[in-house]
Amino acid sequence: MSNYDKVPYPDFIHPATHPGNMAAIARLHGVNAPPPESCRVLELACGPGGNLISLATLLPSSHFEGIDLAAGHVKTGNAMIGKLGLSNIQLHQGRIEDWVTEADSDEERFDYIIAHGAYSWVPEEARQAILAICQLRLSDNGVALISYNTYPGWHQRQMARDIMRYHADGIEDPQLRLRHGKALLSSVAQNVPQGSAYRVALEEELKALDQANEAYISHEQFEDTNRPCYFHEFATEAASHCLQTIAEADWGDSTYEQVRPDVASALASLPKIRRAQTLDFFRRRTFRQTLLCRDSVAVSEQLQSSAMESMHFVTSSKLEGDQITGSNGLSGTVDHPMTQAAIGRLVDQYPSSISFEELCSTAGSQEPDSLATLKADLFNLVCVGLVTVSASPTEAFREVSSHPRATALSREQVLLGDTVTNLRHQPIRLDDTTAHLVRCCDGQSDHASLIESIIAYAMANGGLVEGDQVVTGEENLRPLVNSKMKSNLQRLAAMALLVG
């Protein structure tokens, strides 16, 4: 039995691993990545399979396989696959090393390989196996995503880990081990001079620990193996397996945000690997999600804006006049009327995506100069995170039907916890009442039935919170639920959880 059978790893969703995202970034760097709608995907160390299962529901014509050492993880994942009736996904229990084999046919190759939360956390043999599998099993233009902990940021985090592991040494119970480890870390921080660099560092780590999932902390901080590395070391290791880096899987991780213009200019003149490593020093980076491909594939140093023409766009940003403001706190100015019209359409259609061709039609002009401006503006908005780009579309119901239906996956997920996955492959945390509403949105119940279900649920669970008060009693709950039902259903639609 592995440690992951004793303490199951949280079933996290990783939005960056969506093949649509991986393909979009690869194509913008000149790599002709396979179409996400009909691809083959392998996930190494897939855990309970939540990430892969979500992708399998979103891309029904693609094929997915996952492997994990923990039998309990695979059993849990296969149970969910059975409930959802999915036929395009398989989970296997076994060692990563056992998959280091030459592909004899296209059926044994994969267009996308995901190793999220594995590379830094497994022994050397398995770490080399991850890269070897990418080398041997990627299709010709296939793309791999490997995540790992990085220096220099992990030097500080390593200090906190060492303190906790030392104090908890010999304690077998995971919860007791975590409690003892955090207790010493807190004690050390409180007994260090106020305002000192050491205390500030320890308090930063304590804050991060307080916000993290306990099962995640148990593995991240207390497993024997946690081997961060510098990016340039990872790139060298990948090169020894005939792999090259493309870019980071998260757009914001490759920009010069918060770096002075003169420094950004100097960085831009450096070779690719050295530039990325130097930027990590500026940012004190602790974590990377790096995209790779075969070293025989031509990767462009300059982003190919022409690839935008085949992309799909979505934004949760708000547009007021010529000002666009994102949920990430960033803002910008949209000057050109054609771009304003396109962004306005994206805002109206959220959470569904719109193709570049449709945006051009919305904007109304087919003049080459105007289209070039639109493309350039969209490109810049994507680079700063105000617009999201994907190689595959997102289709979500924006209008609430008379008999709302939530995704089958979300309706199963609310039975297990407070986090569901939406149609954009994003994790969404729900309060208990909203989770119950998701469960009731089965496509059979009309709004009146949903109102009765929520009233019954509230009466059985101590009422509903409204502002700073708790509303109880049917005579008080009924008007409240009646008045809120439409907006609550519209909120589910905005979360990309409704399919009918």
Side-chain angles (χ1 to χ4, degrees):
M1 178 181 290
S2 74
N3 289 339
Y4 289 89
D5 282 309
K6 297 175 185 176
V7 182
Y9 194 75
D11 206 6
F12 290 138
I13 300 300
H14 309 293
T17 65
H18 193 301
N21 176 68
M22 295 170 66
I25 296 176
R27 291 176 186 176
L28 286 167
H29 285 83
V31 178
N32 186 25
E37 296 85 357
S38 56
C39 64
R40 291 177 52 80
V41 180
L42 171 67
E43 183 169 10
L44 305 172
C46 66
N51 188 65
L52 209 59
I53 290 170
S54 170
L55 293 174
T57 65
L58 298 175
L59 300 169
S61 296
S62 294
H63 177 76
F64 300 86
E65 294 194 42
I67 177 173
D68 199 87
L69 181 61
H73 282 170
V74 174
K75 181 178 180 181
T76 298
N78 281 330
M80 178 63 80
I81 290 169
K83 288 179 181 178
L84 295 172
L86 298 174
S87 59
N88 63 334
I89 178 173
Q90 294 177 299
L91 302 185
H92 311 275
Q93 191 273 326
R95 300 164 67 246
I96 291 174
E97 297 91 320
D98 295 337
W99 283 63
V100 183
T101 57
E102 195 80 48
D104 294 326
S105 65
D106 289 343
E107 286 70 29
E108 294 182 356
R109 292 187 182 276
F110 294 92
D111 301 309
Y112 298 94
I113 296 178
I114 302 164
H116 201 290
Y119 187 79
S120 288
W121 302 269
V122 294
E124 180 64 21
E125 182 184 1
R127 189 159 43 247
Q128 294 301 318
I130 290 171
L131 293 171
I133 290 169
C134 294
Q135 176 185 1
L136 297 171
R137 305 291 288 271
L138 268 178
S139 60
D140 290 344
N141 287 311
V143 179
L145 182 155
I146 299 179
S147 74
Y148 49 100
N149 286 335
T150 57
Y151 295 130
W154 248 89
H155 282 302
Q156 173 177 307
R157 200 150 285 180
Q158 186 79 51
M159 176 178 62
R161 170 180 154 87
D162 289 345
I163 291 172
M164 290 192 293
R165 278 173 55 84
Y166 179 80
H167 191 54
D169 186 39
I171 300 176
E172 294 295 328
D173 180 77
Q175 289 186 329
L176 188 61
R177 187 169 58 221
L178 176 58
R179 190 159 61 247
H180 275 252
K182 288 178 68 176
L184 179 62
L185 190 63
S186 178
S187 179
V188 172
Q190 291 169 13
N191 286 278
V192 170
Q194 186 78 31
S196 67
Y198 188 24
R199 179 159 181 163
V200 170
L202 293 176
E203 288 177 340
E204 279 186 9
E205 295 309 312
L206 280 167
K207 182 178 180 180
L209 290 170
D210 287 340
Q211 295 173 347
N213 178 285
E214 286 196 356
Y216 164 79
I217 298 172
S218 181
H219 293 293
E220 179 82 343
Q221 302 295 350
F222 293 95
E223 287 287 339
D224 290 338
T225 303
N226 188 334
R227 178 182 172 272
C229 63
Y230 285 102
F231 170 68
H232 73 88
E233 295 174 330
F234 174 79
T236 299
E237 198 70 56
S240 72
H241 289 271
C242 302
L243 300 168
Q244 62 178 319
T245 64
I246 301 172
E248 288 304 288
D250 187 324
W251 272 104
D253 288 344
S254 299
T255 64
Y256 299 129
E257 183 190 344
Q258 298 179 340
V259 176
R260 290 201 324 258
D262 59 323
V263 176
S265 178
L267 286 171
S269 68
L270 295 175
K272 178 180 178 180
I273 302 301
R274 194 171 187 85
R275 177 172 68 245
Q277 180 59 74
T278 304
L279 194 56
D280 281 5
F281 288 132
F282 278 91
R283 291 177 168 173
R284 195 177 63 171
R285 188 194 284 274
T286 61
F287 182 74
R288 272 185 172 270
Q289 303 176 95
T290 301
L291 299 182
L292 307 103
C293 64
R294 295 179 177 278
D295 61 8
S296 58
V297 176
V299 177
S300 173
E301 284 277 341
Q302 301 297 320
L303 291 173
Q304 305 296 298
S305 61
S306 60
M308 301 283 280
E309 296 174 11
S310 64
M311 301 294 181
H312 302 264
F313 302 85
V314 65
T315 186
S316 59
S317 299
K318 305 301 180 186
L319 183 66
E320 294 185 9
D322 62 354
Q323 293 296 306
I324 180 171
T325 304
S327 55
N328 57 5
L330 296 177
S331 61
T333 301
V334 181
D335 295 320
H336 199 281
M338 187 171 182
T339 306
Q340 289 179 7
I343 298 302
R345 175 82 188 283
L346 286 175
V347 171
D348 290 342
Q349 288 297 114
Y350 182 80
S352 293
S353 64
I354 304 177
S355 69
F356 181 79
E357 184 178 359
E358 289 179 278
L359 287 178
C360 291
S361 299
T362 297
S365 174
Q366 296 300 314
E367 292 293 325
D369 288 348
S370 295
L371 293 176
T373 298
L374 174 61
K375 188 189 301 180
D377 287 349
L378 284 173
F379 185 76
N380 290 331
L381 292 170
V382 165
C383 288
V384 298
L386 290 171
V387 172
T388 301
V389 64
S390 176
S392 59
T394 297
E395 297 179 7
F397 272 71
R398 296 182 58 258
E399 302 299 327
V400 177
S401 70
S402 60
H403 294 71
R405 179 161 60 93
T407 66
L409 177 59
S410 67
R411 289 174 54 234
E412 291 294 338
Q413 288 173 323
V414 295
L415 299 177
L416 304 174
D418 62 358
T419 301
V420 298
T421 313
N422 70 3
L423 293 167
R424 296 185 59 207
H425 194 55
Q426 297 171 319
I428 306 287
R429 289 193 66 178
L430 305 175
D431 61 74
D432 291 345
T433 305
T434 304
H436 185 71
L437 178 59
V438 167
R439 181 62 182 169
C440 293
C441 287
D442 55 5
Q444 304 297 316
S445 302
D446 60 14
H447 291 211
S449 298
L450 293 175
I451 288 171
E452 296 303 321
S453 295
I454 295 300
I455 291 172
Y457 175 82
M459 291 180 65
N461 289 275
L464 294 176
V465 176
E466 177 66 11
D468 58 357
Q469 296 182 332
V470 177
V471 179
T472 59
E474 182 178 355
E475 69 281 5
N476 298 317
L477 286 167
R478 185 168 295 281
L480 174 63
V481 175
N482 262 305
S483 66
K484 296 285 187 178
M485 181 56 68
K486 182 178 180 180
S487 63
N488 285 339
L489 289 171
Q490 288 173 335
R491 192 157 61 95
L492 294 187
M495 291 177 182
L497 291 173
L498 296 184
V499 291

